Amino acid sequence: MRNSGDSVTIKDIAADVGVSVATVSRVINRLPSVSKGTVAKVQEAMERLGYRPLNGNYPRKASLQNSILLLLPTISNPFYSTVVGAITRSMTLVGYDVELCVSDYSMALEKTAFQRLVEGKYRGLISFSAELPAEYLQKISDNYPYVMVSHHVEGLDATCVSIDDQKAMYEATEYLIQQGHTKLALISGTKGGDVLKERGFSQAKQAYGLEANPAHIVRSIRQYGFEFEMGSLYCEDLLNTDDPPTAILSVFDAFAIGAAKYALSKGIRVGREFGIIGFDNAPFSKIFSPSISSVAHPLNELGITAADLLLNQIQTGDYTPKRVYLPHELIIRDSSQ
């Protein structure tokens, strides 16, 4: 029998009593539609197993505000504006207020935001960022209304809505291979979604019998405000390798534009002899000359789906993880034709 309150979750309580996780959540949050007998059994199991919510108190419905929190890593990325707008409209229509918290990739700020959820100051939280360990986020996901948008954390089983990053990058890589490129490079990263994109890149090369070249993969560290300059530096490094690539894919459009800018400065004809494809279909990818090919997300659908998933958790108390993949689109522009 488990007796550590910090390690006991509502899943353990549900299994002990023989009821659903949603039923245990309703009891904890004092929601209706649970019989008095079941409430008594659940409460007895909590006491016996030493279960304690993360804040040490059982949240009461009366203490919850009628608002949700959106956790963003930055406000400088235009990707977020459309998604946040769709979430805000969806939640406002059903009577919820929406507040924003910008973490600037700070673990401390992220933890403060989640603690506010735990303390009952918000009905739910939608996150575009995940700097905290998977173990901590798993406790949040198991016990509170929490939805991740377009993000992936290794080892975390939480409700999330995104495109299939791995498949999307596979298709982008495949397109360049079919255009005749056999020396492809990737400006990757260290985040969960970037790891999936790197897998798609490597799988496509393997599927077409192209050799892996570690020198052709750059793992970037994103520093917002310097993306274009960093993209140029990464492209310079790649073109100065012993076996330079003839095409570059990037996990982020700004890096792709920086790479294109550097290639153009060296007299390389981007699109005709040097292919470039980015990711996220940021507005500036259309304006740059040559225009940058990119993978597009269904931004409005991302926001609407995230809101629907969170509302379902709030209304039912069921935090069973759901993974929703939305369709993506590879938009071909001048940089890869």
Side-chain angles (χ1 to χ4, degrees), residues 23 59 74 77 99 111 155 169 172 179 184 188 190 209 254 260 267 307:
T23 297
T74 177
N77 188 342
E99 295 185 26
K111 192 164 187 178
M169 185 59 81
Q179 294 296 303
L184 298 98
S188 184
T190 58

Side-chain angles (χ1 to χ4, degrees), residues 161-230:
V161 54
S162 68
I163 65 170
D164 189 332
D165 289 315
Q166 185 168 330
K167 181 180 179 182
M169 185 59 81
Y170 182 102
E171 292 174 359
T173 307
E174 181 180 52
Y175 173 83
L176 286 174
I177 294 172
Q178 292 175 344
Q179 294 296 303
H181 293 282
T182 58
K183 299 179 182 180
L184 298 98
L186 174 68
I187 301 176
S188 184
T190 58
K191 301 298 180 184
D194 298 337
V195 173
L196 292 176
K197 295 167 191 173
E198 186 174 322
R199 288 177 188 168
F201 170 79
S202 298
Q203 285 180 350
K205 291 186 67 175
Q206 183 178 15
Y208 281 84
L210 303 182
E211 292 185 6
N213 186 341
H216 285 175
I217 296 181
V218 175
R219 292 182 179 87
S220 63
I221 299 176
R222 295 184 185 179
Q223 298 179 22
Y224 283 96
F226 299 94
E227 301 94 340
F228 301 109
E229 293 87 346
M230 292 169 68

Side-chain angles (χ1 to χ4, degrees), residues 92-164:
T92 301
L93 285 173
V94 293
Y96 287 87
D97 298 322
V98 177
E99 295 185 26
L100 299 182
C101 175
V102 180
S103 71
D104 287 324
Y105 294 97
S106 164
M107 290 181 64
L109 287 175
E110 270 199 14
K111 192 164 187 178
T112 297
F114 281 108
Q115 189 61 29
R116 290 174 181 169
L117 172 68
V118 170
E119 292 170 353
K121 295 180 180 179
Y122 298 99
R123 296 298 303 273
L125 188 149
I126 296 176
S127 175
F128 294 80
S129 176
E131 299 297 313
L132 291 165
E135 294 80 7
Y136 178 87
L137 294 175
Q138 192 65 61
K139 289 184 178 181
I140 296 292
S141 176
D142 288 344
N143 294 281
Y144 299 94
Y146 167 48
V147 174
M148 299 176 63
V149 180
S150 193
H151 203 77
H152 173 79
V153 177
E154 291 286 347
L156 174 62
D157 189 16
T159 293
C160 179
V161 54
S162 68
I163 65 170
D164 189 332

Side-chain angles (χ1 to χ4, degrees), residues 7-321:
S7 61
V8 176
T9 70
I10 61 175
K11 291 181 180 179
D12 298 317
I13 303 299
D16 184 86
V17 179
V19 297
S20 68
V21 170
T23 297
V24 176
S25 177
R26 291 188 184 99
V27 173
I28 294 173
N29 289 283
R30 304 298 196 268
L31 297 177
S33 73
V34 182
S35 69
K36 292 182 179 179
T38 300
V39 170
K41 290 179 181 179
V42 170
Q43 290 176 338
E44 187 276 331
M46 289 179 183
E47 187 67 26
R48 174 165 42 82
L49 297 178
Y51 171 79
R52 294 291 183 272
L54 296 183
N55 64 349
N57 297 304
Y58 296 113
R60 296 178 181 273
K61 188 178 181 181
S63 70
L64 297 173
Q65 303 300 312
N66 205 39
S67 59
I68 69 162
L69 186 65
L70 299 189
L71 179 59
L72 306 174
T74 177
I75 56 174
S76 66
N77 188 342
F79 170 85
Y80 299 119
S81 58
T82 302
V83 185
V84 168
I87 292 172
T88 301
R89 287 190 298 273
S90 297
M91 299 303 297
T92 301
L93 285 173
V94 293
Y96 287 87
D97 298 322
V98 177
E99 295 185 26
L100 299 182
C101 175
V102 180
S103 71
D104 287 324
Y105 294 97
S106 164
M107 290 181 64
L109 287 175
E110 270 199 14
K111 192 164 187 178
T112 297
F114 281 108
Q115 189 61 29
R116 290 174 181 169
L117 172 68
V118 170
E119 292 170 353
K121 295 180 180 179
Y122 298 99
R123 296 298 303 273
L125 188 149
I126 296 176
S127 175
F128 294 80
S129 176
E131 299 297 313
L132 291 165
E135 294 80 7
Y136 178 87
L137 294 175
Q138 192 65 61
K139 289 184 178 181
I140 296 292
S141 176
D142 288 344
N143 294 281
Y144 299 94
Y146 167 48
V147 174
M148 299 176 63
V149 180
S150 193
H151 203 77
H152 173 79
V153 177
E154 291 286 347
L156 174 62
D157 189 16
T159 293
C160 179
V161 54
S162 68
I163 65 170
D164 189 332
D165 289 315
Q166 185 168 330
K167 181 180 179 182
M169 185 59 81
Y170 182 102
E171 292 174 359
T173 307
E174 181 180 52
Y175 173 83
L176 286 174
I177 294 172
Q178 292 175 344
Q179 294 296 303
H181 293 282
T182 58
K183 299 179 182 180
L184 298 98
L186 174 68
I187 301 176
S188 184
T190 58
K191 301 298 180 184
D194 298 337
V195 173
L196 292 176
K197 295 167 191 173
E198 186 174 322
R199 288 177 188 168
F201 170 79
S202 298
Q203 285 180 350
K205 291 186 67 175
Q206 183 178 15
Y208 281 84
L210 303 182
E211 292 185 6
N213 186 341
H216 285 175
I217 296 181
V218 175
R219 292 182 179 87
S220 63
I221 299 176
R222 295 184 185 179
Q223 298 179 22
Y224 283 96
F226 299 94
E227 301 94 340
F228 301 109
E229 293 87 346
M230 292 169 68
S232 292
L233 290 173
Y234 294 143
C235 183
E236 180 180 7
D237 290 343
L238 288 167
L239 291 179
N240 284 330
T241 58
D242 293 336
D243 188 24
T246 63
I248 292 178
L249 297 104
S250 170
V251 298
F252 193 41
D253 276 341
F255 291 154
I257 290 177
K261 186 176 179 181
Y262 178 81
L264 290 169
S265 73
K266 297 301 178 182
I268 298 173
R269 295 179 298 174
V270 174
R272 293 189 178 185
E273 60 182 339
F274 192 77
I276 294 179
I277 295 180
F279 216 95
D280 290 345
N281 195 36
F284 43 69
S285 63
K286 309 172 189 177
I287 301 171
F288 187 81
S289 182
S291 56
I292 303 297
S293 299
S294 187
V295 173
H297 298 69
L299 299 180
N300 276 301
E301 288 80 2
L302 276 174
I304 293 170
T305 305
D308 287 345
L309 289 168
L310 189 71
L311 280 171
N312 181 70
Q313 290 184 350
I314 292 172
Q315 293 169 356
T316 67
D318 184 359
Y319 309 138
T320 303

